[in-house]
Amino acid sequence: KHTPLAGSSYIPLPDFLVRKRCIVNVQNKDHRCFGYSILAALLEIDHQHQPHRAAHYDQYFAQYGLDKLDYPVKIEDLEDVESQIDIPFNVFTFYDDEGKGHKPLFTSRIGDPQKAIDLLFWESDGLQHYAWIKSFNAFVYDIQKTQSNKCFWCKRCFCHFRLETAFAKHLECCRGIDGYK
C-alpha cells in the first residue's frame, strides 16, 4: 500500500535538533502541523510565551487562509498549497541520526527562497510532521563549520559560501533566466 508523505500530529524533535534551539515545534493534536508551522513563523511568539503551544495559533487559521487547506499537507501538494495561501515557504528535511544530512524537499515558487519561511519535515515511527525553522544558519551550521562561523547558504541548491559577494553571484545563476516563479 502506497502512503504518500504528509504532515500529521505532533512528533518530538530528535535530540540533536532540540540542542540547536533553532526550531519551533508546535505541539498540535490534529493533522494541521503545516498550518501551525506557518503561523509560528508569521506570528513569531517569543520564547517566554511558549511558542510551541497550539492554542496561540488557532484563531489565525482563517485570517491566513490556512483553514481552507486539506490536512495533512502532502509533500507533492506543496506547490499548490503555496499558490493557494500566497505565502512563500521552503521545506527541508534531514536523513541521518546526527542531523548533518540535510536536503531541500521544496523551495518557494512564488517568492525568493532566501526570504521565504523555512519549514522542517521529518518522519518518526510512521508519522510525519512539520515545524518552523526559526534560524536556518543554526539548522545547517554543523554541515560546514567555517573559521568565521559565518556562511551564506543557497536554499535552492544547498551550496554555501564564505563571502557574500560570491554568494550574490551564485544567486544570480541559481535563480535562472525566469527568476523564482
Side-chain angles (χ1 to χ4, degrees):
K1 179 181 175 186
H2 172 68
T3 308
L5 294 176
S8 58
S9 59
Y10 175 76
I11 302 174
L13 281 170
D15 289 339
F16 64 85
L17 288 173
V18 171
R19 286 190 299 270
K20 290 183 176 193
R21 296 183 171 177
C22 65
I23 296 170
V24 173
N25 186 15
V26 178
Q27 296 177 356
N28 60 303
K29 294 182 179 172
D30 54 20
H31 292 291
R32 301 185 306 166
C33 60
F34 176 86
Y36 285 112
S37 300
I38 293 288
L39 290 172
L42 293 172
L43 301 174
E44 292 192 47
I45 294 173
D46 65 48
H47 185 70
Q48 290 177 318
H49 292 96
Q50 301 173 331
H52 63 276
R53 296 183 63 207
H56 292 305
Y57 308 104
D58 288 328
Q59 64 188 0
Y60 296 102
F61 271 80
Q63 179 179 340
Y64 291 97
L66 297 166
D67 59 332
K68 306 234 185 305
L69 299 179
D70 290 328
Y71 293 101
V73 172
K74 296 176 184 74
I75 295 295
E76 64 265 14
D77 295 337
L78 291 175
E79 189 170 356
D80 293 336
V81 167
E82 186 182 44
S83 296
Q84 184 178 348
I85 63 174
D86 198 30
I87 299 171
F89 61 85
N90 306 312
V91 179
F92 301 92
T93 192
F94 59 90
Y95 53 87
D96 66 353
D97 294 335
E98 296 175 7
K100 294 181 182 177
H102 299 74
K103 68 178 181 179
L105 291 176
F106 174 82
T107 54
S108 178
R109 307 293 198 269
I110 65 170
D112 181 351
Q114 297 304 122
K115 296 176 184 173
I117 293 170
D118 295 321
L119 303 179
L120 175 67
F121 177 86
W122 77 101
E123 186 175 359
S124 178
D125 297 327
L127 296 174
Q128 294 97 22
H129 190 64
Y130 291 95
W132 171 44
I133 303 171
K134 69 179 178 180
S135 174
F136 187 79
N137 284 335
F139 174 65
V140 296
Y141 171 74
D142 50 3
I143 296 174
Q144 179 65 34
K145 295 179 184 177
T146 63
Q147 289 180 337
S148 67
N149 292 335
K150 183 155 186 171
C151 223
F152 300 94
W153 287 86
C154 177
K155 294 179 182 179
R156 182 177 298 277
C157 69
F158 251 48
C159 286
H160 54 277
F161 303 86
R162 289 185 185 183
L163 299 175
E164 192 170 5
T165 53
F167 177 58
K169 286 182 181 180
H170 166 79
L171 288 179
E172 289 177 21
C173 296
C174 194
R175 184 178 301 134
I177 295 171
D178 297 330
Y180 293 113
K181 292 189 176 188

